[in-house]
Amino acid sequence: ATPRKLRTVAARPVPPFPSKQCGRLLALATLGLPDAGVDRATAKKAYFEAALKCHPDTEGGDAAKFTKLTSAYEAVCARIPEP
């Protein structure tokens, strides 16, 4: 009897890391901003409004959400050229 040949299964491709554009859109969505035409003043205003609601020192504040907002704001401002 001949040995049975084992079937090889093709490995599934690993999904690529999220693109920088995807990260930017996620950061804009976290701040509640549209995906086009955002300047520093608009980003700053949206950040401060959202940060007031979830700051850990306020009643009902959430430290994790505040940290996420802060990192999103920094990511958005890093991609906006300074005037």
Side-chain angles (χ1 to χ4, degrees), residues 10 36 74 77:
E74 290 171 354
C77 284

Side-chain angles (χ1 to χ4, degrees), residues 10-71:
R12 290 188 178 130
V14 177
F17 288 108
S19 66
K20 290 183 180 180
Q21 183 67 19
C22 179
R24 180 177 181 273
L25 294 177
L26 184 63
L28 288 170
T30 302
L31 292 172
L33 294 171
D35 60 345
V38 176
D39 60 345
R40 282 187 181 267
T42 307
K44 185 175 182 178
K45 183 178 178 182
Y47 169 70
F48 278 113
E49 288 175 358
L52 283 174
K53 296 176 185 173
C54 65
H55 193 277
D57 291 342
T58 60
E59 185 177 336
D62 185 9
K65 188 172 181 182
F66 182 74
T67 304
K68 187 176 179 180
L69 276 172
T70 303
S71 62

